[in-house]
Every structure is written in C-alpha cells, then in structure tokens.
Amino acid sequence: MKFEAKAVLLVVGVAAFMFLGTYFTMVVPLTDETLYTPTKDAKAYTELELKGKQIYQREGCWYCHTQQVRNLLEETYRYGMGEEETFKRFGVRALIQAPPSQPGEYVYDKPHLLGTRRVGPDLARVGGKYDNTWQLNHLRDPRSTSPGSIMPAYTWLFDQRGQPTQEAIALVAYLQKLGTNIKWREEGVEQVKKLQAKNLTPGEPRTLAAKEEQP
Amino acid sequence: MTIQHEDTSARWFIYTSIAFFLVTILVGLTMAVKFVYPDFLGGIPALGFGRIRVIHTNGVLFGWLLAANMGLAYYVVPRLAGTKLLSEKLGLITLAIWTFIILAAVVTFASGDTQAREYLELNWWLDVLVTIAWVLFAINIFGTIAKRKHQQMYVSLWYVMGTVFWTAILWIVGNLPVYSGVNDANLNWWFGHNAVGLIFTPMGVAMAYYFIQKATGNPLYSHKLSIIGFWTIAFLYIWNGAHHIIFGPIPTWLQTVAILFSVSLLIPVWTVITNFFGTLRGKWAQGNYVVKFLLAGTVFYLLTCFQGPMHSLRSVNQIVSKTDWIVGHAHMAVFGAFSFFAIAGIYYALPNILKRPVFSDKLGEWHFWLSFVGFLGFAVSLWIGGFIQGLQWMDHTISFLDTVKAMAPYYVVRMFSGILMVGAQLIFAYNVYKTVRSSTTEVQPALA
C-alpha cells in the first residue's frame, strides 16, 4: 500500500473507532433520563452552599474525599448511621444504612465532584452527620476532633482569633448539604419508629432508598 | 542519509521538559512528606495539599512527559521521514507557548484557580493556548511527513500521527463544560482514561518502538504485530472511561461495557510487549543504561497493563478502587513505563543531536538503578498498604480513622522511596547539563 493510502486509512480508521466508542459510552448515556432527573427531595444549592462548593473545589478537597457511596453492602453500613448516632440524635437504637449514591442526587453539580481517591472518608452522606461546630473545629485543627487524621489544617479559613471566616461558614454549609438530596436519615428513623410502635423488633432495618436501589 | 538535522526544537523541548520534571516531582515528594507529617509547610494556602497535587499531576503529565515526547517526536519524525523538520522556528514558538502554559498553570493552580475536573483543571484560556500549541505541533509533524523522502511508514509514525489526532479530539471534547452531575463525571473519565490510553500510551509506544530498535541495533521483531497493536489500541481504549466509576452512580450496563473492553486491552498490550521483547532479544545482559531503561519500561508497561484490566473486574475493584493501590498503579504507567521510555530516548537522542557522548555513563547507570529501586519501593509499599486498607474498608466495624492510621508505615516507605526517585532525576539533570555544556571534542556517535 502506498504511503498516502495508509495515511488516509489511518485518519479515517482512527476517527471512526474513536467516534464508535464515544457514541456508545458517552452519547447514549446522555439520553438516559435517570441520569439527569433530580431525586424527589433534590434542591439546588443556595448561594452560601454554592460558595462553599467553590471553596471545596479551590482547596482540592475532592482529591482526598470521594462523593459516592458505592453500591456495596459494606459502604451502606460504613457511611450510614450507627446505633450511637441514632440514639443520641433520634432516641432510637438502630443501624441505618446509607443508600448508595444515585445519579439524581448530582444533577445540580457542575462540575461533578465524585472524586477518585479516599485518603479520607467518602463525603456523599456527611451532611447532618456532625454539627457545625464540629465541622469548623475539624477544618481548623483536624487532629483535635479526629486524632490520627492526616488532613491538613485549613487555618487560612479562620481569622487570627480562630474565628471562622465567611469562607469557612460557606464550606460547612456545603458539607451539611451533601447527601441531603435523599432524606435517608429522617426516613430511616421514621421507619424504625413505626416498627417499634407496632412492637416489632427491627431485624435489619433498611431505609426505603436502600431497598429501591438494590439492582 | 547525509541530512543535517538542526534539532533545535527537539533539544530545547527536551531541556525544558527535564526542568519541569525536576520541579514537579519535587512537588510530588512534598506531598509524600505531607502524608507522614500533615503539618509540613502548613498554613500556607498556596502549598496546601489539594493545591499542589494538581501542580504535580498536570506538571508531570504535560510539563514533563508530553513535552519530552514532543521533543523526541521532533527528533524521531524527521529521521523516519528522511527529511528535515518542517520548521524549527515553528517548533520554538510551540515551545514558548508550552512553557508559558506550564508556568501559568503553576501560578493559577497555586492560587486555587481550577476547573476541578481531574486532568482538565486548567482554566479555559489556558485550554485555548494548549489547543493552539497542539495545532502548531500538528502542522510541524504532518508538514514534515508530507515532504518525506522515505516511502516506508514505520510504526512509530503511525503512533505519532494517531496521537496528534487523538489528543486534539480528547482535549477539545473533554473540556466542553456542557454537562452536569453524572454525565459530567462520565465525560471527565472518558478524557481521563484516554489521556493515558490515547496520548501517553501511543506516544510512549512510538518512542519505545524507535529507540529499542536503535539502542539494541536489532531489527523490529514483527511489523505485522505492530500494526495489530496499533489498530486494537485505536479500537479498544476509548470504551474504558466508566471503569473508573464501577459500583458508582452510573448505569450498570455502562460499567459492564467498560469492564469487557478493559479486559480486551490485554490483546494490544501483549501484542506490543511481544514485539518489544522480540526486538530486545539477545541484548538483555550486555545492555547499557539506555537498554536497561527500555527493558524495565517494557516490563513495567506489561505489569501496569495487566493490573489495569484486573482492577476493572468487580471483585478486584471492590477492594482496590479508591485506595493507594491505584496510586502505585498510575505511577507504574506514567513513571515506570512511559517516563523510562522517554528517558531512554533522551539518553539516545542527545548524543546524536549534540554530536558528543553523554557526560558520564556511570551517572547514567546510577540514574537507572536509583529510579528503579526508588520506584519499586514506592509502588510495592502502596500496593501492600492499599490492598490492606481496601480489605479493612470492607469491614465497617473498623473505623475509617483506624484504616488511615494503618497506612502510616507504608507512607513512610513511600516517602523515602520518593527521595530516591527525586535524587535519581537530579543525577539525570546534572548528567544532561554536563553533556550540553561539555567541551569534549566532537565525535560522531556510532549509531546515527
């Protein structure tokens, strides 16, 4: 084959192969409405939360924290609510699983922050797990709340007296929003309470969302 | 064969890439120290982990590896085409833009200016500059090929031409900020995976195909295998992006497609590897550090591309995904395989460009062994630690904090291995500097 013929074959062939793979793995998913339809309880970010998301991006939080509870049993337990937490906050003793992440929760994320690496824990369900004071203390001095943590201290989000700046407040507002596009904490506790009211022992309590999500 | 190649663009691209290599792996080492001492260089926003990580990844990928490969392409393509480079001036303009992009990237990233999509973090105006620089590179490469004297299309030319095309499409489509949520993640990993698969892989393979043949003096083992390898890479890689989000919030069929194609990647990889080993035959033992870099690079390429398909399997992915294991895997591809190929190319090309031998072969040997041992310490510690952490994550009664604490010894080993890796590249830079500045009387290298 002549050089010119080969060069033409190369360009045409490479372009065709690239188009083929891109079409099926990139374009076809765009037509899947479950990927762009918000979940029932999904809300767009408030101005403060959006500012917090920008700080999360600026500081590269997403390089060490993923935002996706993978569809694995162990992750629904790890990122769910333990008995102590439910008792302290809701007066109920139960293990409540976190639902695996669903596409509809991310519709307002632009850019997405799914992440790829967990130097620290996943944050997809962190909203509501700790109070604001804990979050601020943790950002200012991670080892004060979590001994052994290797997270850097974000001292520049606080003034010289250690008071949070607007940036720290926005960042915490964003963190508290994460995972709340599904009301899994409230619904999980409610379900446990219902069972208890009927005097039934919740054997393995599950949230509604977790049940729906199992493929 | 009496063409006098000027090689100005090749030379200066290579020097610049080595400078960026040093700086950006020093940033990498700083990160490794932060894993052991989280307060190291603390309190300075521009040196925060999340800000320097992007300088390390983008700097090593685009400032060092791609720039080094562009420099080597300016060297290889004219020789394979049997003609001079279309325009040295255009090459130097490309270099000026490229250097500006990398310097601007460091400043913008340090100030927290990022688009927050992995490997696509550059601000939009820098994206535009990258596109312009790439078009200039493409003009020079295709222009040189167009006025070729040789009619044979050696496989390295296939790969360089393919890379010019793939990079352009990936870069432009990947940077489209049109989607949100899961679709944005899918696009991000379409780019992220293929940046490795269709930019660094074909460029690295192109260089290895050229320099293995030259450095060993052996003919190419099989032309047919090289063509099979090229077309299977072209067909199979593009389907793989979703294997970065297995068990994640994307459709199951998409994950399964990515897994099937990931496993199929064993075909092109083993094809290419067979060809490399075939071409290296008989030269394992007596090879100098150039051959050692090529041989070790080939072995690491084989291993990293065996890991990749295995990671995509659900049962394995469940354990290793999101852990430090993957960090070891990624460094085996970018450092162990493709950087080793580029280093070998530089050691081979530079004496031919400058018409004088490398300053010190002994330092070359040290460079190889420190890189090799340093990398193995880096990767093996992360593989062991990452795998253990992955298993710990599967037991939710072990707190996350405890799984972090369990990594401590591995992070220490990684840090010291990193010192070896950086030290090795300091030797590299010194050796290249002395070669360039040496006043040795001109000798025609044996292999031209």
Side-chain angles (χ1 to χ4, degrees):
Chain A
M1 211 192 302
K2 280 190 67 180
F3 192 100
E4 284 77 8
K6 272 188 199 161
V8 170
L9 176 74
L10 186 144
V11 172
V12 173
V14 158
F17 281 160
M18 197 171 188
F19 175 78
L20 198 67
T22 306
Y23 178 79
F24 281 105
T25 62
M26 272 285 312
V27 181
V28 171
L30 291 178
T31 62
D32 182 345
E33 62 176 25
T34 61
L35 298 190
Y36 58 81
T37 311
T39 51
K40 181 167 59 75
D41 294 310
K43 281 200 188 73
Y45 292 107
T46 65
E47 207 176 308
L48 188 68
E49 288 160 357
L50 204 57
K51 190 179 161 199
K53 181 170 185 272
Q54 278 155 8
I55 289 154
Y56 187 91
Q57 290 168 204
R58 184 186 78 191
E59 301 303 340
C61 303
W62 57 283
Y63 289 118
C64 296
H65 295 282
T66 53
Q67 286 186 21
Q68 42 175 321
V69 174
R70 296 190 298 164
N71 200 351
L72 293 167
L73 193 62
E74 67 258 22
E75 297 208 354
T76 65
Y77 283 117
R78 177 174 294 284
Y79 298 110
M81 283 195 286
E83 287 197 353
E84 269 173 51
E85 194 185 342
T86 47
F87 185 69
K88 208 166 77 183
R89 294 187 40 204
F90 300 98
V92 179
R93 272 198 194 282
L95 213 61
I96 294 180
Q97 286 169 270
S101 292
Q102 297 173 24
E105 296 179 69
Y106 299 93
V107 174
Y108 301 110
D109 282 0
K110 192 176 178 174
H112 80 94
L113 294 169
L114 287 186
T116 174
R117 174 81 182 89
R118 287 175 185 158
V119 179
D122 186 86
L123 298 182
R125 299 279 174 247
V126 81
K129 185 176 171 70
Y130 305 102
D131 59 33
N132 291 346
T133 317
W134 187 96
Q135 286 288 8
L136 287 169
N137 285 334
H138 180 248
L139 284 172
R140 189 179 48 218
D141 181 7
R143 278 158 289 287
S144 71
T145 56
S146 315
S149 161
I150 56 169
M151 186 169 115
Y154 288 88
T155 47
W156 56 90
L157 301 179
F158 297 84
D159 66 19
Q160 283 171 341
R161 286 168 300 139
Q163 294 302 306
T165 62
Q166 276 304 306
E167 292 192 338
I169 291 166
L171 180 55
V172 169
Y174 170 69
L175 292 173
Q176 297 292 21
K177 154 86 174 163
L178 291 177
T180 59
N181 283 341
I182 295 178
K183 299 269 170 262
W184 65 280
R185 289 182 196 276
E186 297 79 351
E187 282 169 10
V189 168
E190 211 173 290
Q191 208 185 7
V192 172
K193 280 182 176 166
K194 253 186 230 164
L195 287 171
Q196 286 179 340
K198 288 181 191 159
N199 236 347
L200 292 169
T201 345
E204 198 80 308
R206 284 179 301 178
T207 63
L208 295 167
K211 224 186 310 184
E212 282 164 12
E213 190 44 33
Q214 297 302 323
Chain B
M1 285 301 281
T2 50
I3 311 152
Q4 287 297 313
H5 295 286
E6 288 172 46
D7 293 322
T8 330
S9 310
R11 212 149 42 92
W12 284 101
F13 250 101
I14 288 171
Y15 301 157
T16 317
S17 71
I18 295 173
F20 283 130
F21 193 19
L22 278 188
V23 174
T24 49
I25 57 169
L26 261 175
V27 174
L29 181 60
T30 310
M31 288 158 62
V33 175
K34 280 171 180 274
F35 272 87
V36 181
Y37 305 103
D39 293 321
F40 179 66
L41 298 178
I44 307 161
L47 297 177
F49 183 87
R51 297 203 193 175
I52 63 171
R53 184 192 189 271
V54 53
I55 296 176
H56 174 65
T57 55
N58 281 256
V60 171
L61 289 175
F62 301 107
W64 148 245
L65 191 51
L66 191 54
N69 279 330
M70 286 162 83
L72 290 172
Y74 286 132
Y75 172 89
V76 169
V77 170
R79 282 166 177 77
L80 287 175
T83 181
K84 285 181 149 193
L85 186 70
L86 178 70
S87 165
E88 294 288 350
K89 203 188 231 173
L90 191 61
L92 290 176
I93 294 171
T94 314
L95 175 66
I97 299 174
W98 202 261
T99 308
F100 175 78
I101 292 166
I102 306 295
L103 292 175
V106 172
V107 175
T108 52
F109 287 154
S111 67
D113 178 358
T114 164
Q115 292 189 337
R117 297 167 75 234
E118 194 146 26
Y119 307 124
L120 290 166
E121 290 98 338
L122 284 179
N123 203 329
W124 68 268
W125 59 274
L126 287 170
D127 293 340
V128 173
L129 280 183
V130 171
T131 313
I132 292 170
W134 197 256
V135 169
L136 298 183
F137 176 67
I139 291 171
N140 230 347
I141 295 298
F142 282 113
T144 307
I145 292 172
K147 65 187 186 82
R148 75 204 170 276
K149 297 285 183 299
H150 299 164
Q151 279 308 308
Q152 190 218 5
M153 197 195 269
Y154 185 66
V155 60
S156 296
L157 279 186
W158 285 78
Y159 276 108
V160 172
M161 282 156 62
T163 309
V164 170
F165 178 85
W166 285 316
T167 307
I169 303 293
L170 286 169
W171 186 253
I172 292 166
V173 176
N175 269 300
L176 292 177
V178 286
Y179 308 122
S180 63
V182 171
N183 281 319
D184 186 45
N186 193 30
L187 177 64
N188 193 165
W189 284 114
W190 173 86
F191 175 85
H193 182 76
N194 290 302
V196 181
L198 294 178
I199 301 177
F200 296 106
T201 296
M203 265 306 208
V205 168
M207 296 312 150
Y209 264 124
Y210 182 84
F211 289 109
I212 288 176
Q213 210 196 10
K214 288 287 179 185
T216 59
N218 284 345
L220 180 66
Y221 177 66
S222 162
H223 190 68
K224 192 169 268 174
L225 276 183
S226 68
I227 298 304
I228 294 172
F230 177 85
W231 285 110
T232 41
I233 282 182
F235 178 62
L236 296 171
Y237 251 109
I238 197 80
W239 301 73
N240 285 293
H243 74 200
H244 290 259
I245 338 176
I246 288 172
F247 296 113
I250 55 166
T252 312
W253 69 263
L254 190 55
Q255 301 176 25
T256 307
V257 167
I259 294 169
L260 289 173
F261 277 86
S262 301
V263 175
S264 314
L265 280 178
L266 290 173
I267 300 166
V269 171
W270 289 0
T271 312
V272 170
I273 293 290
T274 307
N275 224 353
F276 285 0
F277 280 135
T279 312
L280 279 159
R281 71 193 173 279
K283 297 293 158 70
W284 287 38
Q286 76 261 40
N288 62 354
Y289 53 96
V290 182
V291 176
K292 285 193 185 104
F293 269 114
L294 290 166
L295 183 61
T298 305
V299 173
F300 286 139
Y301 181 52
L302 172 68
L303 292 178
T304 197
C305 290
F306 181 70
Q307 282 184 338
M310 295 307 114
H311 296 163
S312 75
L313 301 175
R314 287 193 170 88
S315 50
V316 181
N317 190 279
Q318 181 174 8
I319 303 169
V320 299
S321 182
K322 321 281 184 278
T323 70
D324 264 309
W325 175 291
I326 303 298
V327 179
H329 164 69
H331 281 77
M332 181 150 64
V334 173
F335 185 80
F338 303 133
S339 290
F340 275 26
F341 290 153
I343 288 167
I346 290 170
Y347 274 134
Y348 181 86
L350 218 50
N352 282 302
I353 293 173
L354 298 170
K355 312 235 175 351
R356 69 180 80 114
V358 169
F359 168 70
S360 163
D361 288 340
K362 204 168 189 184
L363 286 180
E365 294 284 339
W366 273 99
H367 176 202
F368 170 76
W369 285 109
L370 287 178
S371 299
F372 184 73
V373 172
F375 169 72
L376 281 182
F378 176 103
V380 172
S381 60
L382 290 186
W383 287 332
I384 298 172
F387 197 80
I388 292 173
Q389 196 184 26
L391 291 174
Q392 287 177 328
W393 286 350
M394 291 170 78
D395 179 355
H396 70 275
T397 59
I398 303 174
S399 80
F400 195 93
L401 213 46
D402 285 336
T403 74
V404 173
K405 289 177 197 161
M407 285 299 292
Y410 305 102
Y411 287 148
V412 172
V413 175
R414 188 259 299 267
M415 181 177 73
F416 283 108
S417 309
I419 292 172
L420 292 186
M421 287 161 77
V422 171
Q425 309 324 312
L426 280 172
I427 293 174
F428 178 39
Y430 176 74
N431 209 2
V432 167
Y433 175 78
K434 292 299 272 188
T435 307
V436 174
R437 300 303 298 260
S438 115
S439 53
T440 320
T441 39
E442 293 200 354
V443 282
Q444 200 70 38
L447 309 157

